Every structure is written in structure tokens, then in C-alpha cells.
Amino acid sequence: MIKNIISGAFIGVANIIPGVSGGTVALLLGVYEKLTESVGEFFTAPKEKKMEFIKFLSQIFIGVVIGLLVFAKVIGFLYANYREGTSFFFLGLIVASLPLVLTHRDNKQIDKHGKLWFLFGLLLMIGFTLLQSFYGNGETSSSLYRLTGGYIIKLILAGTLAGGAMVIPGISGSLLLVMMGEYYNILGFVNNRMILPVALVGLGALIGIVGFARIIDKLLKSHRDNTLYFIIGLIVASLVEIWPGFTLTLSNGITNIVIFGLGIYIVKLMKKLEGNK
């Protein structure tokens, strides 16, 4: 229970930082498959299984809420004021965790199909990153307080894509919102407690989460290894998006290296504690 709540807290924090994927964090923490299964099969599962899913999802949800309320402001402050160091910490976590993802394969040898799926994920994420450069930085639009019919549809679509991105490791939902020009708008809706537009985004997010979770769950069950290679390709390419650059001064350089090492150490420590348990 405690592990699921902590995992949910990390997922919640990750989803508000542009460039960091909540799906990646879920995968690295070992709750990704259970999460996609619980969401994707919830409506078709028997009663006993459904109760198990409810218990698991409620623990994750509690963690997400805690992460957003308690840690999100701290991480947001660190990211805004110490972006380089915070990014290197996330890089350390992800780089150290990638080999752990490979341990979930059925076949330990990578065949040509696995290599192709890895390459496909890599190129898809690179294409996603390049597209970002054509859409600016997502400044607030004039539609912020005018819910026209077209804008309602756009908010639901934005929520759907962001929700789907929460399920797919490597793709940041908040970054998608930046690309669509809605990231700061939605933050404004939340900060000003505007229930209707927030509800529209939430409806879209629910559609995206459930829909993509069903797809990923089926793929992991029918084409497990190739799906994992595809996901790893997404994550590897997403490291470029998280990379903040490197300040060429002795003090900053040493600090970044130490923080990067701290991220790696935390992953190894968590793995050791899990093994001992």
C-alpha cells in the first residue's frame, strides 16, 4: 500500500513538469503494467478483480493527490529556479532505471523485430520533439475566458491527448499541452477554480487514459517484448527533451554530476531494498 501511494506521488509530480512523463515514472517504479491493466480492464473485469483494481487505483490516486498538493510546489520551485540540477536528478533516475525495464522481458535476446520497434519508438519521439519547435512555447491565448463551441472541443481534445500521454512512457502530457497552446490556459483555469473548463479537460483526460490504457494493456499481453522495446525507444529519445544543457563552470559542473549520481544511487537503493524485502 505505502509503495503504491509513494509511486502515485511521484507520478503526480512528474505529470506537471513539461518534458517529464508520468508513464515513464510509473514504468520505472514497477507499477506501470498493473496500472494499465487496472484501468484498461476495469469495466470488463469480474467483481473480485474489479475490487482489486479499485483498491490499487485508489492508492495510486491518493499518492497522485499528495504529490500534487505537497511535493508539486517544491519540485515546481526547484525546476523553475534550479532547472539544470533538477533535470540532472531526473536524468539520473531514468538512466539508472532503464536496465531494470529490460528485466521484464520474456526473451532475453533482442531479435530484429525488437530492434525495429525500439527504432520506431526512438524516431517517433524525436519527431514529436521536432514538432514542438513549430508550435512555440504555448503562451496564453485570447480564448482563456471564452468557451466557444470550437474551444470546448479543443479542451476535450487537449485533455484526451494529455491523458493518453500519461499512459505512454516517454511522452509528456504537459509538454503536449504546451504544444497545443493550452498549458498556461489550463493552469489559469485551475488557479482561478473555473469548474467548467477544468471539467472539460478532465473528461478528455479520462477518455484518453482509459482508451490508451486498454491498448497498451493488450499489447503488453500479446506482444510483450516488442512493446517494451518500443517504450524504451520513446524513453531514450525523451532524455534529449529533459537534457537542460551543461553550465561549463567548475562548481555547477560538479554539482550537476553529484545530483545525477544521487538519482542513480536512489534507484539502486530502492532496488536493493525491494530485493531485501
Side-chain angles (χ1 to χ4, degrees), residues 72-140:
K73 287 189 176 181
V74 176
I75 298 295
F77 172 80
L78 291 174
Y79 190 78
N81 296 279
Y82 306 98
R83 180 174 179 270
E84 201 169 299
T86 306
S87 298
F88 271 100
F89 177 71
F90 279 108
L91 285 170
L93 291 175
I94 295 173
V95 169
S97 300
L98 278 175
L100 303 181
V101 178
L102 292 173
T103 62
H104 296 284
R105 293 175 296 172
D106 291 330
N107 185 359
K108 302 307 178 184
Q109 298 296 323
I110 306 178
D111 58 19
K112 63 178 181 180
H113 293 101
K115 294 176 182 177
L116 287 174
W117 278 106
F118 170 80
L119 184 61
F120 179 47
L122 189 75
L123 294 176
L124 183 65
M125 188 62 200
I126 290 174
F128 170 74
T129 303
L130 291 175
L131 275 176
Q132 180 197 352
S133 63
F134 292 101
Y135 286 87
N137 294 316
E139 296 177 355
T140 305

Side-chain angles (χ1 to χ4, degrees), residues 21-268:
S21 164
T24 298
V25 173
L27 185 69
L28 302 182
L29 292 172
V31 298
Y32 181 74
E33 288 189 61
K34 181 69 174 177
L35 192 58
T36 55
E37 180 186 25
S38 299
V39 175
E41 299 182 11
F42 181 81
F43 296 104
T44 58
K47 185 177 180 180
E48 296 78 10
K49 197 71 173 176
K50 193 169 290 187
M51 293 305 297
E52 179 187 326
F53 289 160
I54 290 175
K55 181 180 178 181
F56 172 76
L57 290 174
S58 63
Q59 292 168 0
I60 294 293
F61 179 76
I62 290 171
V64 169
V65 172
I66 292 173
L68 291 174
L69 295 180
V70 179
F71 298 108
K73 287 189 176 181
V74 176
I75 298 295
F77 172 80
L78 291 174
Y79 190 78
N81 296 279
Y82 306 98
R83 180 174 179 270
E84 201 169 299
T86 306
S87 298
F88 271 100
F89 177 71
F90 279 108
L91 285 170
L93 291 175
I94 295 173
V95 169
S97 300
L98 278 175
L100 303 181
V101 178
L102 292 173
T103 62
H104 296 284
R105 293 175 296 172
D106 291 330
N107 185 359
K108 302 307 178 184
Q109 298 296 323
I110 306 178
D111 58 19
K112 63 178 181 180
H113 293 101
K115 294 176 182 177
L116 287 174
W117 278 106
F118 170 80
L119 184 61
F120 179 47
L122 189 75
L123 294 176
L124 183 65
M125 188 62 200
I126 290 174
F128 170 74
T129 303
L130 291 175
L131 275 176
Q132 180 197 352
S133 63
F134 292 101
Y135 286 87
N137 294 316
E139 296 177 355
T140 305
S141 73
S142 60
S143 304
L144 182 56
Y145 298 106
R146 294 186 305 171
L147 287 178
T148 62
Y151 192 54
I152 288 174
I153 294 174
K154 185 181 180 184
L155 282 178
I156 295 175
L157 177 61
T160 301
L161 293 176
M166 293 178 191
V167 179
I168 304 175
I171 298 180
S172 165
S174 53
L175 190 59
L176 270 175
L177 293 178
V178 169
M179 290 172 58
M180 295 183 70
E182 296 301 327
Y183 180 75
Y184 297 104
N185 286 353
I186 293 171
L187 281 182
F189 295 145
V190 174
N191 291 333
N192 290 288
R193 295 176 177 82
M194 300 175 67
I195 298 176
L196 181 56
V198 171
L200 292 171
V201 176
L203 173 63
L206 181 63
I207 295 171
I209 290 171
V210 174
F212 280 85
R214 287 183 65 86
I215 294 171
I216 294 293
D217 179 53
K218 290 182 181 298
L219 287 174
L220 282 171
K221 284 180 167 58
S222 58
H223 305 285
R224 182 180 185 79
D225 287 4
N226 288 337
T227 303
L228 285 175
Y229 290 133
F230 172 73
I231 288 173
I232 291 172
L234 291 174
I235 295 174
V236 169
S238 73
L239 294 176
V240 177
E241 182 63 40
I242 300 174
W243 174 259
F246 197 86
T247 303
L248 295 177
T249 63
L250 183 60
S251 59
N252 280 355
I254 293 175
T255 301
N256 290 336
I257 292 172
V258 169
I259 292 174
F260 179 79
L262 178 62
I264 293 176
Y265 174 75
I266 287 177
V267 172
K268 291 185 179 296

